[in-house]
Structure formats: C-alpha cells, structure tokens
Amino acid sequence: EAGVAQSPRYKIIEKRQSVAFWCNPISGHATLYWYQQILGQGPKLLIQFQNNGVVDDSQLPKDRFSAERLKGVDSTLKIQPAKLEDSAVYLCASSWAGGGTGYEQYFGPGTRLTVT
Amino acid sequence: GESVGLHLPTLSVQEGDNSIINCAYSNSASDYFIWYKQESGKGPQFIIDIRSNMDKRQGQRVTVLLNKTVKHLSLQIAATQPGDSAVYFCAENTSGGTSYGKLTFGQGTILTVHP
C-alpha cells in the first residue's frame, strides 16, 4: 500500500515569512498526526486529528502555527510568521485509529524546514 | 545515560554482535511502548511494541524488555547487520483515560554497525 505522502521535502524561508506543509495519509486511516523533530531530538507531537476533528493540540504554538484536516483526509500545517527556532523536520503520521489503542503510526518522510 | 541537544547516546558494534539499546521513560501511567528506527532522511519506522501488562516481547531478531519498577525499556537486536545502523527511539503512550493516546518520544540512540 502507498505510504504517507508529504510535500515539499525541503523548504528554506526567511524569518517572518509564512510556510505551509501538506500531508496525505494512508487511505482509510482515521487518525493523523503532525510532529516537529528538531535536530538531535525525538519527534514532538504538535497536533492530532481524529477524522477532521482535533483531539490534541496542547503542544501546538497557536500564535503562529495552525493546522486543518478538511474532509478528514489530507492535512495542511501552516507557520506564520516563522521564527529561527522553527527550523526542524515536520513529520506527518497516520494510524487506523487513535494512538492509545495500540494501532501503529506510519510516518511520512518529513519536510525539512530551514528558517534563515 | 541522558544526553541533551545534539549529543545523542551512541552504540558501535561489529556485524554479527548483539546490540542492546536502553531507554528510561518518565511517566508511570504510560501503558504502551514502541521502538522506532529512523534512517537519515526518513521518517521513523515501527520496530516492535509492548503493552504495560507484559515484560517481554519478541519479534524477528528483536526483543523488547520492559521493567516498570524502574521505568526502563530496552531493545535487543540479535546478529546486528549494517542495515540496522540508524537512530533508535523509544516512545511511551499515555492514554489518560481517553481513547486517544499521546506518544512521547525519547531522545534517541545512534547505532553504528561496522562490517
């Protein structure tokens, strides 16, 4: 089966600019996650969707980050305005159901963002 | 041991040796644990998982051990191969009484396998 697709793979922007990332999960997966992975660290959950509803966005910096999952399939993550500390890999993952039920999360290749 | 920032713990082994990667988790309420492998330029890939009501689980060439008393998790890789070289993360899931668990990842260990 096709995996989780993300685009773009790389993005370089200047601070204070805006950027958007796109994710297409595995077909049929109800749950979609966005993670931020700073160099040398493990991924940190930013937001979790169940279908098109948000179930956890406690670690999303809402003053500059936003995400949506219209129609419960594809999702976009936006940063506006970007800061230097936003430089990281942004990973999208999907699973059949909520993570707490033990369903495996499948990760996309990520988008590497560099803010200069 | 614990490391901060870019100083990830590292483990170097010879091809064919057994590898043991350790992880200390933080939340005693965590009910599910997963090991992920991440190769350069790729997203994390599931290796093996274990629920908190178990203390050992075996897969193909991999074994996960869970010690809830000291909140310690380990991944054992038998007959390590060069293709096993990657960063390995443990992750703990906390349901918090909901159906939607939250994964918290550890910092990772760099495994290098020498031919």
Side-chain angles (χ1 to χ4, degrees):
Chain A
E1 64 182 1
V4 176
Q6 290 188 247
S7 67
R9 291 295 313 276
Y10 305 91
K11 189 73 177 178
I12 301 174
I13 61 172
E14 295 181 351
K15 59 183 179 184
R16 291 187 288 274
Q17 287 187 323
S18 62
V19 64
F21 312 125
W22 173 82
C23 173
N24 178 236
I26 292 173
S27 178
H29 279 193
T31 310
L32 185 146
Y33 315 78
W34 282 103
Y35 289 86
Q36 179 192 60
Q37 186 174 24
I38 293 173
L39 182 65
Q41 299 182 17
K44 182 184 83 172
L45 179 69
L46 293 175
I47 189 167
Q48 178 178 343
F49 292 93
Q50 180 73 9
N51 296 309
N52 61 349
V54 176
V55 297
D56 188 339
D57 63 357
S58 57
Q59 300 191 100
L60 186 74
K62 299 180 185 63
D63 58 334
R64 297 183 301 105
F65 286 64
S66 65
E68 60 182 10
R69 191 184 183 198
L70 300 176
K71 301 180 182 178
V73 182
D74 292 5
S75 177
T76 55
L77 176 69
K78 297 178 182 178
I79 307 175
Q80 181 180 10
K83 293 185 176 181
L84 295 176
E85 59 261 36
D86 298 332
S87 293
V89 175
Y90 290 85
L91 295 162
C92 180
S94 69
S95 66
W96 181 254
T101 57
Y103 290 104
E104 180 180 342
Q105 291 188 28
Y106 295 83
F107 284 82
T111 297
R112 181 176 296 277
L113 174 67
T114 302
V115 182
T116 63
Chain B
E2 293 293 327
S3 295
V4 176
L6 295 176
H7 303 289
L8 292 177
T10 59
L11 176 64
S12 292
V13 301
Q14 291 295 128
E15 182 177 2
D17 287 352
N18 296 331
S19 302
I20 299 176
I21 300 171
N22 297 301
C23 175
Y25 65 93
S26 57
N27 192 336
S28 57
S30 294
D31 53 10
Y32 174 60
F33 304 87
I34 311 103
W35 280 100
Y36 285 91
K37 172 186 179 183
Q38 187 172 26
E39 297 173 285
S40 181
K42 297 183 179 179
Q45 177 186 6
F46 174 95
I47 301 173
I48 191 168
D49 59 1
I50 188 168
R51 295 195 175 278
S52 58
N53 61 353
M54 304 170 66
D55 54 21
K56 180 178 180 179
R57 190 167 187 218
Q58 289 184 293
Q60 187 177 12
R61 283 202 306 120
V62 294
T63 300
V64 55
L65 299 178
L66 174 63
N67 185 330
K68 294 182 290 292
T69 302
V70 295
K71 293 190 285 187
H72 183 268
L73 197 65
S74 69
L75 176 70
Q76 301 177 1
I77 306 174
T80 316
Q81 303 167 2
D84 295 327
S85 294
V87 180
Y88 288 80
F89 293 97
C90 66
E92 58 183 304
N93 180 84
T94 309
S95 298
T98 70
S99 299
Y100 308 110
K102 176 178 176 177
L103 277 187
T104 301
F105 282 77
Q107 194 166 25
T109 295
I110 300 172
L111 174 65
T112 303
V113 183
H114 301 282

